[in-house]
């Protein structure tokens, strides 16, 4: 992972936000190449969802033809949106602060990893992992290793595996007794505050007066924009259920522990789609989107042995969800066997549209969703009161559509494609000595630059020939680069490192017979192609 982060900085993919002021934790800037890569990821998603979608034919596995339309909603929405969606009351993490080191911990991440230390009469430390289960998930040994890594009380053995640092015994303490927890860097145990709720929404104030009633939130997800515009879309573009509304854009979450590069940031981009369908078809659509979204990542280059589709267990489901599956990727920062979420595909039933009609919903004693009421018997967070039912003029049926939601992160997808693409191999340099070659094997559709035009030397008409070709690529709308500086091997390596799939070399023969060399980044194969066919050849490969 360190190598990938270094490459991102060195070659202008991703920088720390406000770096010259020491950076800002949880915020990132995309550099000249990163912005192109992320745009290509988003464009590939939008093409798949909207632009290339044929609403008159039924794709394989789908129950019926369907429409897909887009939206671009405001980042700040009416505060009632978040009250009805449940984010205002429920979108929080439990956190705990260390009074001495001022470090902040997310309780759910380190629960089961608390370390309780005791010193015996001989001064030897005894460490305990504090967990409420006799046998922690994944087994005790696994828990110990994770705890050691988390708290940095680790030692690597000769094989590089993490082992328990303490020569003392390891056991399980049955309670979450924070008084005995020793935070790394703290001088004594017991410096953690009891866990408390922390809402992840960023708060802001609207207007100049700034009273309590002017408080608003930066959206923590893009999804709500689609629900509150459901009626607008149905009334204006004449879509019929089943149909989907997609949106991509920024979301904000005040994450307690942003980490793992851009994986968990406080400002990030989401690519979300809400698919509205008849309740009787919702399970079939859920299956369709679940499988199709998994396939999208494979098609764009993630390897199947590092990608998985994991169905949530019943106790993991949100209070409204009938079924959820996550597309997950084994990022280099994950522990062996662990994966990080790229996208969640959820069957949300009629929860969202009903919440915005009736008010915030909770499960009642019978397990059904009902409007939450206050002590006065009135809805705690009233809905809009608007009729968000759908009327099917063919079946003459009125119903609240069910929703299937594939919710992806553009930054996580970009990071996964970068991680997957990173390769090193050995290649002989100009003197025949083996050199490590770093290359990004990005899918050509995602690569920031598609082609580099490189005259072999800076004379004999080669630069003019090359520049002319470079301009032709630009006119054809193919992102290209012209480079005449340094030895050709060095220029190839620069392009390999940023993932450019093809290099075109102009040499002496080019001027004589009007051909150029086309070099492939991954196979290193070089073929000669007529000058007047090369732009079409690259365009054809990009289409393929
Ligand atoms: P996690 O459990 O990792 O916090 P989540 O289940 O809360 O994620 P969702 O609310 O389902 O995430 O959001 C949909 C997608 O948005 C996620 O799959 C992820 O790709 C992206 N995402 C969510 N939170 C972040 C974040 N803090 N930084 C970057 N991407 C994020």
């Amino acid at each position: 992972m360190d190598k990938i982060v270094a490459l991102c900085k060195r070659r202008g993919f991703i920088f720390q936000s406000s770096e010259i002021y020491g950076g800002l934790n949880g915020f990132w800037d995309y550099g000249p190449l990163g912005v192109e890569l992320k745009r290509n990821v988003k464009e590939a998603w939008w093409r798949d969802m909207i632009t290339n979608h044929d609403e008159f034919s039924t794709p394989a596995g789908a129950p019926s033809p369907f429409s897909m339309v887009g939206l671009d909603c405001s980042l700040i929405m009416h505060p009632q949106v978040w009250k009805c969606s449940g984010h205002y009351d429920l979108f929080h993490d439990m956190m705990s602060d260390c009074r001495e080191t001022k470090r902040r911990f997310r309780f759910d991440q380190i629960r089961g990893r608390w370390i309780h230390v005791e010193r015996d009469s001989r001064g030897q430390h005894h460490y305990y992992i504090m967990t409420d289960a006799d046998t922690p998930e994944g087994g005790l040994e696994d828990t110990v290793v994770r705890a050691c890594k988390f708290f940095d009380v680790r030692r690597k053995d000769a094989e590089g595996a993490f082992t328990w640092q303490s020569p003392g015994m390891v056991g399980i303490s049955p309670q979450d007794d924070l008084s005995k927890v020793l935070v790394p860097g703290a001088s004594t145990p017991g410096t953690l505050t009891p866990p408390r709720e922390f809402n992840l929404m960023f708060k802001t104030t609207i207007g100049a007066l700034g009273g309590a009633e002017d408080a608003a939130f930066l959206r923590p997800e893009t999804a709500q924009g689609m629900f509150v515009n459901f009626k607008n879309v149905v009334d204006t573009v004449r879509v019929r259920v089943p149909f989907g509304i997609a949106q991509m854009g920024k979301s904000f979450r005040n994450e307690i522990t942003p980490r793992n590069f851009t994986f968990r940031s406080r400002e990030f981009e989401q690519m979300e789609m809400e698919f509205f369908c008849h309740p009787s078809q919702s399970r079939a659509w859920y299956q369709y989107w679940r499988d199709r979204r998994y396939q999208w990542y494979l098609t764009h280059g993630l390897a199947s042995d590092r990608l998985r589709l994991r169905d949530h267990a019943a106790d993991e489901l949100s209070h409204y969800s009938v079924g959820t599956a996550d597309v997950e990727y084994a990022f280099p920062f994950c522990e062996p066997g662990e994966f990080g979420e790229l996208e969640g595909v959820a069957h949300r039933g009629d929860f969202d549209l009903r919440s915005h009609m009736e008010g915030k919903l909770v499960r009642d004693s019978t397990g059904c969703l009902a409007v939450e009421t206050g002590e006065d018997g009135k809805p705690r967070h009233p809905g809009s009161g608007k009729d968000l039912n759908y009327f099917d003029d063919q079946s003459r049926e009125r119903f609240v559509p069910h929703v299937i939601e594939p919710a992806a992160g553009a930054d996580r997808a970009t990071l996964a494609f970068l991680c997957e693409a990173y390769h090193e191999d050995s290649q002989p340099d100009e003197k025949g000595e083996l050199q490590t070659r770093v290359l990004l094997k990005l899918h050509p559709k995602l690569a920031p630059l598609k082609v580099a035009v490189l005259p072999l030397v800076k004379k004999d008409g080669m630069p003019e020939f090359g520049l002319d070709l470079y301009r032709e690529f630009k006119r054809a709308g193919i992102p290209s680069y012209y480079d005449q500086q340094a030895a050709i091997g060095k220029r190839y390596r620069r392009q390999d490192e940023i993932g450019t799939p093809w290099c075109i070399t102009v040499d002496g023969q080019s001027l004589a017979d009007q051909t150029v060399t086309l070099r492939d980044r991954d196979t290193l194969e070089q073929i000669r192609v007529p000058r007047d066919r090369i732009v079409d050849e690259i365009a054809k490969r990009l289409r393929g």
Side-chain angles (χ1 to χ4, degrees):
M1 196 64 212
D2 290 346
K3 287 182 173 176
I4 293 165
V5 174
L7 178 115
C8 284
K9 165 85 207 274
R10 188 171 70 244
R11 301 311 308 267
F13 280 91
I14 301 173
F15 307 123
Q16 226 187 350
S17 163
S18 325
E19 194 182 300
I20 60 167
Y21 288 104
L24 190 60
N25 196 12
F27 297 90
W28 299 94
D29 294 339
Y30 284 79
L33 291 176
V35 69
E36 297 299 337
L37 174 62
K38 189 159 104 166
R39 278 188 60 210
N40 292 342
V41 170
K42 290 189 292 180
E43 181 57 27
W45 183 85
W46 193 262
R47 260 199 318 268
D48 188 53
M49 290 297 200
I50 310 283
T51 323
N52 292 2
H53 175 73
D54 172 1
E55 61 184 278
F56 299 104
S57 68
T58 311
S64 52
F66 57 96
S67 311
M68 296 289 286
V69 295
L71 276 186
D72 184 17
C73 304
S74 61
L75 301 186
I76 296 180
M77 302 172 75
H78 194 292
Q80 202 62 16
V81 169
W82 308 111
K83 292 185 176 163
C84 289
S85 69
H87 285 83
Y88 186 78
D89 291 334
L90 300 171
F91 195 55
H92 55 239
D93 281 340
M94 301 299 281
M95 65 171 183
S96 195
D97 291 307
C98 171
R99 293 188 195 89
E100 188 180 334
T101 63
K102 307 291 177 227
R103 275 181 73 179
R104 177 162 281 181
F105 298 96
R106 221 174 95 182
F107 195 65
D108 69 317
Q109 280 185 342
I110 54 173
R111 194 149 194 264
R113 299 186 205 173
W114 296 117
I115 292 195
H116 153 184
V117 188
E118 277 174 9
R119 206 185 281 217
D120 66 17
S121 53
R122 286 174 292 141
Q124 200 173 60
H125 282 105
H126 295 263
Y127 291 83
Y128 297 85
I129 302 298
M130 303 187 59
T131 144
D132 51 2
D134 280 350
T135 318
E137 201 187 328
L140 178 59
E141 207 172 314
D142 200 44
T143 308
V144 167
V145 172
R146 283 164 24 134
C148 293
K149 286 188 78 173
F150 191 83
F151 284 107
D152 244 351
V153 286
R154 59 187 169 175
R155 170 164 73 76
K156 275 191 182 171
D157 67 13
E159 277 91 50
F162 287 100
T163 60
W164 197 225
Q165 192 190 43
S166 162
M169 59 176 281
V170 181
I172 293 183
S173 170
Q175 295 136 25
D176 292 328
D177 179 1
L178 300 186
S179 69
K180 291 183 179 157
V181 171
L182 182 68
V183 170
S187 53
T188 52
T191 55
L192 280 175
T193 60
R196 61 194 162 95
E197 284 178 5
F198 174 74
N199 196 297
L200 299 182
M201 284 197 293
F202 277 100
K203 216 172 181 175
T204 186
T205 310
I206 299 176
L209 297 176
E213 65 282 7
D214 300 317
F217 304 94
L218 302 191
R219 67 180 180 196
E221 60 171 36
T222 58
Q224 297 304 319
M226 274 81 91
F227 299 128
V228 301
N229 279 297
F230 170 74
K231 207 172 150 35
N232 279 339
V233 172
V234 170
D235 290 349
T236 54
V237 289
R238 302 185 63 214
V239 285
R240 303 197 65 233
V241 165
F243 71 92
I245 314 180
Q247 162 167 227
M248 51 193 187
K250 292 267 178 162
S251 290
F252 301 81
R253 296 183 187 179
N254 202 357
E255 299 279 359
I256 297 172
T257 46
R259 58 188 174 153
N260 293 331
F261 202 22
T262 56
F263 180 85
R264 188 171 300 287
S265 318
R266 289 180 165 138
E267 175 179 336
F268 53 95
E269 273 191 271
Q270 289 186 306
M271 309 184 290
E272 296 194 294
M273 192 275 286
E274 309 303 324
F275 194 77
F276 301 92
C277 59
H278 191 278
S280 66
Q281 283 199 333
S282 61
R283 275 182 194 275
W285 280 114
Y286 168 62
Q287 198 63 37
Y288 169 75
W289 283 110
R290 175 188 171 280
D291 297 346
R292 176 167 166 162
R293 290 304 306 145
Y294 173 72
Q295 203 54 46
W296 185 83
Y297 291 95
L298 288 178
T299 310
H300 289 86
L302 296 191
S304 57
D305 57 344
R306 278 187 289 274
L307 190 71
R308 75 174 184 190
L309 187 58
R310 184 180 67 84
D311 289 302
H312 281 208
D315 61 356
E316 252 185 294
L317 296 177
S318 320
H319 60 294
Y320 50 76
S321 184
V322 178
T324 297
D326 285 346
V327 183
E328 300 179 328
Y329 180 70
F331 285 94
F333 52 75
C334 294
E335 295 294 318
E338 280 188 357
F339 289 75
E341 176 183 324
L342 290 177
E343 170 160 353
V345 183
H347 182 309
R348 298 174 65 97
D350 60 5
F351 176 82
D352 305 281
L353 290 178
R354 268 187 65 200
S355 306
H356 289 302
M357 270 196 287
E358 303 168 20
K360 187 193 158 203
L361 300 174
V362 286
R363 288 230 179 264
D364 65 13
S365 53
T366 62
C368 293
L369 286 172
V371 175
E372 186 185 17
T373 48
E375 277 169 11
D376 55 4
K378 294 188 181 148
R380 245 191 86 218
H381 297 308
S384 65
K386 299 280 185 297
D387 182 6
L388 302 181
N389 277 283
Y390 174 78
F391 178 68
D392 189 317
D393 50 9
Q394 281 174 10
S395 65
R396 314 299 295 165
E397 191 187 357
R398 181 178 295 279
F399 60 93
V400 183
H402 276 196
V403 168
I404 314 300
E405 176 192 79
D411 306 86
R412 285 194 190 171
T414 303
L415 184 59
F417 290 126
L418 268 172
C419 293
E420 182 74 39
Y422 187 92
H423 282 78
E424 287 177 4
D425 64 15
S426 286
Q427 293 298 328
D429 64 9
E430 286 82 11
K431 294 184 206 124
E433 284 168 20
L434 279 186
Q435 300 287 347
T436 302
R437 176 174 81 125
V438 173
L439 71 159
L440 288 184
K441 287 191 181 181
L442 288 167
H443 189 293
K445 285 206 166 92
L446 303 183
L449 295 169
K450 312 304 178 192
V451 70
V453 180
L454 315 172
L456 192 60
V457 287
K458 268 194 277 183
K459 54 182 185 183
D460 302 335
M462 290 182 216
E464 293 76 13
F465 190 113
L467 269 174
D468 191 49
L469 184 53
Y470 158 79
R471 290 193 181 112
E472 199 177 323
F473 276 114
K474 285 277 175 181
R475 279 195 299 275
I478 297 174
S480 43
Y481 188 75
Y482 175 81
D483 188 3
Q484 59 178 27
Q485 300 300 335
I488 190 72
K490 196 164 176 192
R491 281 182 275 161
Y492 283 149
R493 281 194 294 281
R494 271 188 211 148
Q495 295 303 321
D496 292 342
E497 213 185 17
I498 60 173
T500 310
W502 302 290
C503 286
I504 293 167
T505 319
V506 178
D507 54 18
Q509 193 183 331
S510 305
L511 291 124
D513 68 1
Q514 296 293 307
T515 61
V516 290
T517 304
L518 176 59
R519 170 191 182 267
D520 184 283
R521 174 197 67 199
D522 302 341
T523 62
L524 295 176
E525 190 195 12
Q526 302 203 8
I527 54 170
R528 287 206 83 87
V529 179
R531 158 73 179 81
D532 58 4
R533 288 224 332 262
I534 188 70
V535 177
D536 284 349
E537 172 63 26
I538 297 294
K540 195 175 92 199
R541 290 181 181 210
L542 282 171
R543 278 194 303 272

